[in-house]
């Protein structure tokens, strides 16, 4: 039952991915500038540029190029990067781990911390704890991640020496970038959890649960929170896209390699195959993440069934 | 003022000085952070600046260039002789060199490497243009090779190319086995360091070549390097690079941002280094075919209206050299006479504009025949100098629109006369020959000669300078070229480029050659 649903959803995501690929393809081909001349750099003459375009298939009509790209993509062949001559797959494989690690950890941090602070705020509404929570959330959405990253480096790496700055691998290298990246989404989740909880706590069934003599803790977590989480899950899923985008900045600030920085340099070099491959990869990751989020509704909302 | 004096002192001591080496000092893993990283580690293919910083350790050039007086000294080639009409040079090679994979270095390897550069399958970016009209190489005997050109060349221009790592020999065995696509990730050369690994896109590690024994005479010692390994780490964000140095994660950093230089200089824990980049400084080209700019009076007016000293002092804290001509002051053959040709004179500029018919209207803008003077500039993205330029032009009543573009876009758009009015570029080059690339009429429309000025007289001067062998005669010719270019007002010089670098004070033997840190003789003299 579950399996059939997953398959259906995956098939349904294909049109989305196709649309993404098509858009990127046509945008790249509309950009001014000739990729062959760029690749050849100083050695570019009319003749050589033409020959190179022939080799790369860039002189063919655009629908032919598009068709060829789709056929290759279906076979998992995304061609070679024009700026480094290396296979696109290899470049992506080298770097996807670091970005995924960063974005997923950011999401987990944002969700866990956001839920905790949101609940505390909601349950202690009107007290200093609520105010504190809301200031925390406001700071999250106001402070640019770039700036926060540099502040964290200054305090925790340079002054206190607790964490290293560069490189990947190991939890201690992940903590600062994840905090910088996830803080904004944490703020968003906090506010949402708080308002959602307050909304739910006003409902009649909460009164009923209390009247039935259930422990406050059971009322809170088994009844209130579970229901409060439904809109939160939707938002969290959408925020993952923001985290993927934000990873470009954070990768830059912390000197981490990743898909984000790869994409930026590929765009600047007008490296068409690399840009296409990277964008498609990001789109796939996003689609999968959304699917995971949707599936988690089943845990929280028994009304949802999967057919 | 103190800062300037200190900086001059450091410049004097930091570059061009022969490093002293402590024979006891061996070992250590050196880490250096740079803003960029290599695209590929194949010197024949690469176009990225930092590829060459790293390749200088993996490969040896055929000829070396003295750090102090720029003269040419032996490298992998020990002797050379040109034929009568400068169409061929015979190189005698060292016989005691081998590649990291054990392949012996010989004339065949040189032939293979030079042929590889011009092979279309290599898709060489920079090397292809440095090698000039290369035709073929002929192996005379095991350690003698004759390099032939299809037409007469300037020996100094070819030596300049051969002293760059772009033309360095690569291991034929490894290059053939790996093919062009993979050799760039698995480089094999003859240099003092061997490639070990390239992790995750931005961290490259090299290890000492224990057999190395053939460093050129420009270095104090010729044997294996002192360090066990060198790791190049890419950190794009300037503030993060400084932080990584301060918390000891790296031993040295390049591209210290202007804001941080003063703090680095004042901090006892670090030594700072500074080197001016030779070649064409940052210049704002004027399209001499444009409606407005084809009038030389207008072009001269713009030159008189721009104050390079103010730009460097107020915006760049005097950390960059002033440029008043087509060559950066640190380039061999720089002519100081250009410095007096267009002293800042806004009154003269106004007068010239009036003479050209561009008069100030009621709104304070320059107008001629009912048209307001509007110029669009294309810049590669430093908002500070763009804004300064706009400000200076506004004082003259000229409206300037600025667009930030990528260098690839600029390259493309400047091929045709209609696409642009003014655009800024720079071109790092160790020889005044760069002016041939940028000002000879044959390069109009290639993306190089952006002023589009075609002048038989200038062409003749540039061609003669190319073929002359006598150093003094050549220098004088290039002096004339620089004055000629300024006389014709083809571009507005903005500023020179300067590389700032910093290292922990236990790092010895580190210095800059133009924009590249020279790491062969680096060693640690104590623990931190």
């Amino acid at each position: 039952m579950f399996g059939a649903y997953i398959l259906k959803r995956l098939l349904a995501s294909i049109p989305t991915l196709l649309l993404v690929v098509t858009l990127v393809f046509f945008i790249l081909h509309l950009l001014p500038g000739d990729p062959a001349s760029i690749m050849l750099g100083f050695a570019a003459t009319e003749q050589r540029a033409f020959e190179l375009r022939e080799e790369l298939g860039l002189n063919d009509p655009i629908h032919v190029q598009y068709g060829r790209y789709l056929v290759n993509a279906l076979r998992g062949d995304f061609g070679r990067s024009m700026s480094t001559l290396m296979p696109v797959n290899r470049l992506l494989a080298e770097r996807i781990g670091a970005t995924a690690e960063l974005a997923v950890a950011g999401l987990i941090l944002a969700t866990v911390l956001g839920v905790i602070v949101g609940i505390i705020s909601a349950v202690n509404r009107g007290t200093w704890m609520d105010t504190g929570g809301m200031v925390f959330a406001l700071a999250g959405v106001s402070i640019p991640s770039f700036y926060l990253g540099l502040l964290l480096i200054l305090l925790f790496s340079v002054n206190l020496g607790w964490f290293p700055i560069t490189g990947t691998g190991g939890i201690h290298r992940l903590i600062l970038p994840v905090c910088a990246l996830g803080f904004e989404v944490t703020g968003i989740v906090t506010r949402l959890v708080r308002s959602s909880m307050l909304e739910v706590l006003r409902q009649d069934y909460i009164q009923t649960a209390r009247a039935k003599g259930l422990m406050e803790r059971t009322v809170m977590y088994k009844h209130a929170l579970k229901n409060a989480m439904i809109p939160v899950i939707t938002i969290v899923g959408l925020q993952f896209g923001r985290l993927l985008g934000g990873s470009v900045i954070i990768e830059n600030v912390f000197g981490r390699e990743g898909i984000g920085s790869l994409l930026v340099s590929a765009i600047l070099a007008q490296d068409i195959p690399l840009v296409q491959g990277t964008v498609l990869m990001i789109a796939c990751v996003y689609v999968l993440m959304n699917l995971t989020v949707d599936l988690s509704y089943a845990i929280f909302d028994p009304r949802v069934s999967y057919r | 003022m103190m800062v300037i004096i200190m900086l001059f002192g450091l410049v004097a001591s930091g570059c061009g000085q022969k490093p002293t080496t402590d024979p006891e000092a061996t070992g250590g893993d050196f880490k250096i952070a740079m803003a960029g990283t290599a695209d590929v580690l194949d010197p024949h293919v690469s176009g990225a600046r930092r590829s060459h910083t790293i390749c200088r350790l993996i490969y040896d050039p055929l000829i070396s260039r003295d750090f102090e007086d720029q003269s040419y000294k032996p490298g992998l080639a020990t002797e050379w002789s040109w034929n009568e009409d400068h169409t061929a040079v015979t190189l005698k090679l060292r016989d005691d060199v081998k590649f990291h994979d054990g392949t012996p270095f010989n004339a065949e390897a040189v032939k293979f490497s030079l042929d590889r550069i011009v092979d279309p399958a290599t898709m060489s970016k920079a090397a292809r243009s440095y090698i000039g009209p290369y035709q073929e190489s002929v192996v005379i005997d095991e350690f003698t090779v004759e390099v032939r050109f299809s037409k007469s060349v300037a020996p100094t221009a070819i030596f300049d190319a051969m002293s760059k790592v772009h033309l360095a020999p690569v291991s034929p065995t490894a290059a053939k086995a790996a093919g062009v696509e993979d050799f760039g990730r698995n480089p094999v050369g003859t240099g003092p360091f061997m490639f070990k690994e390239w992790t995750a896109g931005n961290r490259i590690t090299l290890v000492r070549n224990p057999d190395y024994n053939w460093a050129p005479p420009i270095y104090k010692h010729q044997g294996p390097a002192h360090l066990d390994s060198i790791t190049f780490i890419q950190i794009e964000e300037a503030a993060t690079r400084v932080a990584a140095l301060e918390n000891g994660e790296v031993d040295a950093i390049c591209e210290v941002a202007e804001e941080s230089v003063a703090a680095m200089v004042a901090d006892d824990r670090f030594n700072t280094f500074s080197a001016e980049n030779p070649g064409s400084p940052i210049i704002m080209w004027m399209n001499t075919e444009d409606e407005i700019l084809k009038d030389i009076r207008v072009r001269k007016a713009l030159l008189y209206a721009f104050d390079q000293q103010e730009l460097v002092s107020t915006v760049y804290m005097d950390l960059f050299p002033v440029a008043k001509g087509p060559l950066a002051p640190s380039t061999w053959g720089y002519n100081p006479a250009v410095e007096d040709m267009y002293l800042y004179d806004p009154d003269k500029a106004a007068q010239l504009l009036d003479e050209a018919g561009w008069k100030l209207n009621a709104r304070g803008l320059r107008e001629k025949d009912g048209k307001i003077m509007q110029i669009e500039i294309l810049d590669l993205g430093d908002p500070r100098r763009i804004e300064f330029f706009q400000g200076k032009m506004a004082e003259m009543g000229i409206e300037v629109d600025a667009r930030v573009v990528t260098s690839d876009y600029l390259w493309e758009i400047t091929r045709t006369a209609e696409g642009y009015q003014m655009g800024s570029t720079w071109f790092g080059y160790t020889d005044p020959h760069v002016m041939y690339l940028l000002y000879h009429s044959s390069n109009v429309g290639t993306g190089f000669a952006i002023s589009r000025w075609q002048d038989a007289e200038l062409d003749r001067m540039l061609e003669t300078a190319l073929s002359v062998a006598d150093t003094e005669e050549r220098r004088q010719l290039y002096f004339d070229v620089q004055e000629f270019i300024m006389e014709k007002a083809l571009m507005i010089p903005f500023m020179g480029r300067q590389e700032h670098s910093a290292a922990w004070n236990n790092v010895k033997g580190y210095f800059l050659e133009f924009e590249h840190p020279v790491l062969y003789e680096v060693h640690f003299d104590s623990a931190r």
Side-chain angles (χ1 to χ4, degrees):
Chain A
M1 174 87 23
F2 227 46
Y5 177 75
I6 292 176
L7 189 61
K8 209 171 82 168
R9 281 295 304 270
L10 283 174
L11 284 172
S13 68
I14 290 177
T16 309
L17 295 174
L18 193 63
L19 184 63
V20 167
V21 166
T22 307
L23 270 173
V24 170
F25 180 89
F26 283 101
I27 289 174
L28 284 172
H29 281 83
L30 285 170
L31 277 176
D34 169 28
S37 304
I38 291 167
M39 278 179 82
L40 292 169
F42 308 139
T45 60
E46 275 305 319
Q47 178 62 23
R48 289 203 65 206
F50 181 81
E51 284 165 11
L52 186 57
R53 279 198 300 274
E54 273 297 309
E55 267 176 63
L56 295 171
L58 292 172
N59 285 332
D60 295 333
I62 196 153
H63 60 277
V64 171
Q65 292 188 50
Y66 178 63
R68 189 166 50 221
Y69 181 74
L70 281 184
V71 166
N72 284 335
L74 280 171
R75 289 199 323 234
D77 172 14
F78 293 97
R80 284 184 178 277
S81 150
M82 286 186 198
S83 52
T84 61
L85 301 179
M86 288 184 51
V88 168
N89 294 356
R90 190 164 142 195
L91 287 170
L92 290 175
E94 273 177 2
R95 299 193 180 213
I96 184 67
T99 303
E101 188 182 51
L102 189 59
V104 169
L107 193 68
I108 293 173
L109 172 77
T111 311
V112 169
L113 194 56
V115 165
I116 292 174
V117 179
I119 291 176
I120 294 175
S121 283
V123 165
N124 298 287
R125 178 174 161 200
T127 66
W128 64 268
M129 285 193 272
D130 183 17
T131 315
M134 285 301 97
V135 167
F136 173 80
L138 186 63
V141 300
S142 311
I143 299 179
S145 62
F146 174 97
Y147 184 64
L148 180 61
L150 288 174
L151 283 180
L152 290 175
I153 287 175
L154 195 61
L155 179 57
F156 292 105
S157 290
V158 179
N159 287 345
L160 293 173
W162 288 355
F163 301 105
I165 299 169
T166 63
T168 43
I171 298 281
H172 59 303
R173 284 207 167 84
L174 204 53
I175 291 181
L176 291 185
V178 167
C179 287
L181 179 65
F183 195 40
E184 189 191 3
V185 178
T186 307
I188 294 171
V189 172
T190 303
R191 282 153 55 134
L192 190 58
V193 167
R194 178 185 181 274
S195 59
S196 188
M197 272 293 275
L198 288 175
E199 177 70 34
V200 161
L201 286 171
R202 275 209 298 268
Q203 300 297 316
D204 292 339
Y205 61 83
I206 297 295
Q207 285 257 43
T208 314
R210 285 193 179 120
K212 274 162 70 175
L214 290 177
M215 284 195 323
E216 191 59 19
R217 191 171 354 145
T218 316
V219 173
M220 255 332 133
Y221 296 110
K222 191 154 175 239
H223 295 281
L225 183 58
K226 256 195 172 173
N227 289 308
M229 282 305 286
I230 297 165
V232 175
I233 292 171
T234 315
I235 298 299
V236 161
L238 290 172
Q239 291 305 319
F240 187 68
R242 195 187 220 113
L243 287 171
L244 278 179
S247 69
V248 174
I249 299 168
I250 294 299
E251 280 169 11
N252 180 293
V253 170
F254 284 86
R256 287 173 64 95
E257 85 300 343
I259 298 283
S261 48
L262 183 67
L263 184 59
V264 170
S265 45
I267 292 172
L268 290 175
Q270 279 189 271
D271 188 337
I272 295 176
L274 189 54
V275 174
Q276 285 171 328
T278 312
V279 171
L280 187 57
M281 160 127 298
I282 293 175
C284 286
V285 169
Y286 188 68
V287 162
L288 277 172
M289 198 60 204
N290 263 312
L291 179 59
T292 311
V293 163
D294 282 354
L295 289 174
S296 65
Y297 276 127
I299 305 172
F300 292 93
D301 190 346
R303 296 172 297 178
V304 173
S305 76
Y306 294 98
R307 272 179 285 112
Chain B
M1 196 57 206
M2 268 309 294
V3 170
I4 296 169
I5 292 170
M6 283 171 78
L7 278 175
F8 270 115
L10 283 160
V11 168
S13 64
C15 75
Q17 181 195 25
K18 289 250 175 67
T20 56
T21 55
D22 171 3
E24 306 297 330
T26 49
D29 299 305
F30 184 79
K31 296 191 189 57
I32 179 168
M34 311 186 293
T37 189
D39 50 357
V40 286
L41 290 175
D42 185 336
H44 301 164
V45 174
S46 169
R49 184 165 88 116
R50 286 311 181 193
S51 286
H52 299 110
T53 308
I54 304 172
C55 284
R56 287 160 65 93
L57 295 163
I58 303 175
Y59 304 95
D60 291 306
L62 290 165
I63 290 176
S64 65
R65 201 156 188 191
D66 192 274
F67 297 116
E68 281 173 32
D69 63 16
Q70 302 284 299
S71 60
Y72 294 106
K73 299 258 160 70
L76 290 178
T78 53
E79 289 169 41
W80 42 81
S81 57
W82 286 89
N83 66 354
E84 272 279 323
D85 58 357
H86 295 166
T87 54
V89 59
T90 305
L91 303 172
K92 283 214 182 317
L93 308 170
R94 291 186 75 122
D95 59 8
D96 59 344
V97 177
K98 53 184 171 77
F99 290 97
H100 302 149
D101 61 355
T103 310
F105 168 75
N106 53 25
E108 281 292 344
V110 173
K111 175 178 161 61
F112 172 82
S113 299
L114 296 179
D115 286 345
R116 184 173 185 264
I117 291 171
V118 299
D119 182 350
T122 306
M123 297 222 263
S124 169
K125 294 196 175 86
R128 182 69 189 81
S129 62
Y130 289 134
I131 205 174
Y134 172 81
Q135 189 174 46
E136 58 175 351
S137 298
V138 175
V139 173
I140 308 286
D141 65 43
E142 196 185 354
F143 297 106
T144 313
V145 62
E146 184 185 322
V147 180
R148 294 185 184 162
F149 301 92
S150 57
K151 53 184 198 192
S152 189
V153 294
T156 42
I158 294 300
F159 285 154
D160 181 55
M162 285 184 177
S163 70
K164 294 189 197 315
V165 76
H166 298 74
L167 267 57
V170 302
S171 160
T173 324
K176 284 179 200 159
V180 175
E181 296 91 10
D182 288 328
F183 186 72
R185 283 289 174 115
N186 299 286
V188 178
T190 61
F193 285 87
M194 306 187 290
F195 174 77
K196 180 174 174 218
E197 60 181 359
W198 188 333
T199 48
N202 70 353
R203 196 175 272 249
I204 296 172
T205 305
L206 311 178
V207 292
R208 172 173 56 225
N209 176 3
D211 300 324
Y212 190 74
N213 209 8
W214 43 83
I218 58 177
Y219 295 105
K220 271 274 154 95
H221 97 292
Q222 269 68 46
H226 304 299
L227 295 167
D228 290 324
S229 74
I230 300 180
T231 302
F232 294 90
I233 302 172
Q234 178 188 19
I235 303 179
E236 289 159 313
E237 175 56 42
T240 309
R241 270 198 304 284
V242 170
L245 183 71
E246 286 181 343
N247 82 344
E249 263 177 65
V250 297
D251 302 298
I253 57 175
C254 294
E255 292 123 338
V256 180
E258 298 87 70
E259 309 83 68
S260 310
V261 173
M264 291 272 116
V265 168
D267 195 327
D268 284 333
R269 296 175 296 166
F270 308 115
N271 291 327
T272 49
F273 306 85
S274 162
E276 233 181 72
N277 298 352
S280 170
I282 301 174
I283 58 179
M284 180 64 76
W285 291 99
M286 295 188 270
N287 183 351
T288 57
E289 287 177 35
D290 174 73
E291 269 307 302
I292 300 174
L293 297 169
K294 65 184 184 204
D295 187 337
I296 193 173
R297 291 169 299 188
V298 172
R299 298 203 302 273
K300 283 189 187 276
L302 296 185
L303 273 160
Y304 282 114
F306 191 74
D307 188 351
Q308 288 88 354
Q309 183 61 60
E310 194 189 337
L311 172 67
V312 162
S313 299
T314 57
V315 177
Y316 292 98
M317 301 176 243
D318 280 313
L319 291 172
F320 291 88
V322 171
K324 297 286 275 184
L327 287 182
S330 62
T331 320
W332 181 89
Y334 170 72
N335 181 357
V338 300
E339 290 164 24
D340 297 323
M341 288 180 76
Y342 292 96
L343 294 170
Y344 177 59
D345 193 341
D347 295 326
K348 182 134 191 209
Q351 185 195 343
L352 281 164
L353 286 169
D354 285 335
E355 272 173 40
W358 292 97
K359 305 221 194 288
L360 286 170
N361 66 9
R363 281 162 54 209
L365 297 173
R366 294 276 164 189
E367 192 179 327
K368 179 176 175 180
D369 304 329
K371 256 186 68 173
I372 307 276
M373 189 183 224
Q374 276 175 327
I375 299 182
E376 185 188 60
I377 61 173
L378 302 175
D379 192 273
L380 300 176
D382 188 341
R384 298 171 292 179
R385 61 171 180 258
I386 296 173
E387 280 162 21
F388 182 86
F389 182 74
Q390 285 175 308
K392 276 276 169 279
M393 294 299 113
E395 283 169 25
M396 290 280 106
I398 303 171
E399 268 187 7
V400 170
D401 271 321
R403 260 206 305 156
V404 174
V405 296
T406 62
S407 59
D408 298 322
Y409 177 82
L410 190 66
W411 179 258
E412 268 296 299
I413 204 85
T414 51
R415 287 173 185 248
T416 57
E418 297 76 36
Y420 65 104
Q421 287 179 293
M422 292 175 74
S424 79
T425 65
W426 62 86
F427 205 109
Y429 212 88
T430 46
D431 192 272
H433 172 61
V434 67
M435 292 190 291
Y436 188 102
L437 278 168
L438 300 176
Y439 299 97
H440 192 278
S441 61
S442 66
N443 283 313
V444 171
T446 61
F448 277 119
I450 298 179
S451 71
R452 310 192 85 81
W453 183 258
Q454 307 200 36
D455 191 316
E457 165 95 22
L458 182 58
D459 285 352
R460 191 193 51 77
M461 290 200 293
L462 288 165
E463 286 158 18
T464 313
L466 204 57
S467 59
V468 153
D470 177 62
T471 318
E472 271 319 302
E473 204 186 325
R474 202 168 171 252
R475 190 201 298 264
Q476 189 51 52
L477 276 163
Y478 279 125
F479 269 34
D480 294 339
V481 166
Q482 288 166 70
E483 287 179 42
F484 191 95
I485 289 170
M486 292 316 292
E487 190 45 51
K488 299 293 179 194
L490 303 178
M491 50 75 190
I492 307 173
F494 264 36
M495 55 198 269
R497 292 187 307 133
Q498 187 127 352
E499 167 72 22
H500 301 284
S501 179
W504 277 91
N505 54 17
N506 70 332
V507 172
K508 301 295 172 201
Y510 177 95
F511 62 98
L512 291 178
E513 186 199 16
F514 308 125
E515 54 196 331
H516 300 295
V518 180
L519 301 176
Y520 164 54
E521 294 189 295
V522 168
H523 56 280
F524 295 104
D525 76 349
S526 56
R528 265 209 285 287

